[in-house]
Amino acid sequence: MNNLPQKVRSKKLSSRVDLTAMVSVSFLLIIFFMVVGELSKPKGMDLSLPDKYFDDEWNHVITCGSGSSERTITVLLDENNKIITYTGFLFNPLKEPKEINYGKNGIREELSTQKKTILEYSAALGKPKNGPIVIIKPSKKSNFKNLIDILDEMAINQIDTYAIVPEFTPEESKLLASK
């Protein structure tokens, strides 16, 4: 008998690698980056503002084009859920500034009646699709919820042309302080 140690043969492992999981992960990553790329594209909103012209009478004032003052509604947002609205321009308003509340019987009703009046006026001018132009001016003291509520009112009343303007004129600041 031979007492010599026998050679231990090493077990040969399979040289094939299963890439099924790697392919699945690759496809998931491709899909993920495609979705992220699509969602990260900037989205823009069309904003149509009235025409501008140079007014010879007020040789330093740029005002909106014909019929636009009749179509312009300004909504001032202030602290404590206060809304002040007027139609036209503050130096010559078509409707005097008034304080109204949020809700169905407040700003929603006001915007609805104003829209109806403006559409009738525009139809008489031969431009039936010219609806109201709403300028929303939140003060620094107003809260974010009030701005969202006003934007909701724009959607409810189907007002397409509106702009959020953060600057107040000195007259509007005095108006907010007085009311």
Side-chain angles (χ1 to χ4, degrees):
M1 293 230 194
N2 192 354
N3 285 344
L4 294 174
Q6 290 184 344
K7 286 187 179 179
V8 178
R9 294 214 177 235
S10 63
K11 205 176 187 185
K12 291 202 175 186
L13 298 175
S14 171
S15 62
R16 296 187 63 200
V17 177
D18 187 15
L19 296 177
T20 306
M22 185 64 88
V23 170
S24 297
V25 169
S26 299
F27 279 115
L28 285 174
L29 284 173
I30 290 170
I31 291 170
F32 172 76
F33 286 116
M34 286 173 57
V35 169
V36 167
E38 188 63 33
L39 293 178
S40 67
K41 289 180 183 173
K43 306 286 187 233
M45 255 176 42
D46 291 334
L47 180 65
S48 56
L49 294 175
D51 297 331
K52 293 184 177 183
Y53 71 95
F54 190 77
D55 192 348
D56 292 330
E57 181 181 348
W58 304 87
N59 59 11
H60 63 283
V61 177
I62 301 287
T63 59
C64 295
S66 63
S68 294
S69 66
E70 290 82 3
R71 295 174 48 208
T72 304
I73 304 168
T74 303
V75 178
L76 306 174
L77 307 178
D78 202 16
E79 64 184 337
N80 300 326
N81 299 329
K82 183 163 73 168
I83 303 174
I84 297 175
T85 182
Y86 61 90
T87 304
F89 300 118
L90 191 55
F91 59 86
N92 186 19
L94 298 173
K95 277 184 127 178
E96 289 299 317
K98 66 178 177 178
E99 187 173 339
I100 53 178
N101 298 319
Y102 286 92
K104 184 171 74 171
N105 297 326
I107 188 69
R108 187 174 305 160
E109 184 178 329
E110 178 72 18
L111 289 173
S112 178
T113 57
Q114 289 288 350
K115 180 180 178 184
K116 183 179 177 186
T117 304
I118 289 168
L119 286 173
E120 288 171 359
Y121 171 80
S122 295
L125 290 177
K127 299 177 181 180
K129 294 186 179 186
N130 284 355
I133 302 165
V134 179
I135 300 171
I136 304 166
K137 293 188 172 188
S139 73
K140 291 183 181 182
K141 296 178 183 177
S142 69
N143 60 37
F144 191 68
K145 180 188 178 307
N146 292 346
L147 180 61
I148 297 301
D149 289 343
I150 288 297
L151 293 177
D152 287 342
E153 295 298 337
M154 296 298 120
I156 290 168
N157 283 298
Q158 297 175 343
I159 296 175
D160 298 326
T161 308
Y162 59 89
I164 301 170
V165 180
E167 294 92 24
F168 279 78
T169 64
E171 293 82 14
E172 289 170 334
S173 298
K174 290 177 189 173
L175 178 66
L176 282 177
S178 68
K179 293 236 176 200

